[in-house]
Amino acid sequence: MGNAELRSIHLYPVKAFRGLAPREAVVEPWGLAGDRRWVLIDDGGKVVTQRQQPHLALAAPQPLPRGGPRLSPPGRDPVSVALPPPGA
């Protein structure tokens, strides 16, 4: 087997939303820092996926310095989500 080469990194801060391609990432014991830490839940408490809502693939998540994401759905104003307090 030859040498391995990493050509790209892809993070998905919010499951089902568009991914990010940072130049570098921190690896934690449970995976890449900030990867799939958030998910969209419907009024019934179920996870919303791209299979149900394909347009989610166009929504751009941006990690914020304090840990929550800023979500930018196409054609709508961005929404910032606050990080919940510990134990919430």
Side-chain angles (χ1 to χ4, degrees), residues 9-54:
I9 299 171
H10 295 87
L11 295 175
Y12 298 86
V14 181
K15 186 172 173 54
F17 281 54
R18 186 171 75 195
L20 306 174
R23 294 186 55 83
E24 57 186 37
V26 174
V27 179
E28 298 174 329
W30 44 85
L32 297 176
D35 189 43
R36 292 177 178 92
R37 300 296 189 261
W38 296 86
V39 66
L40 187 62
I41 303 291
D42 68 14
D43 290 337
K46 294 187 179 181
V47 174
V48 179
T49 69
Q50 280 186 19
R51 286 187 186 109
Q52 300 157 323
Q53 301 292 333

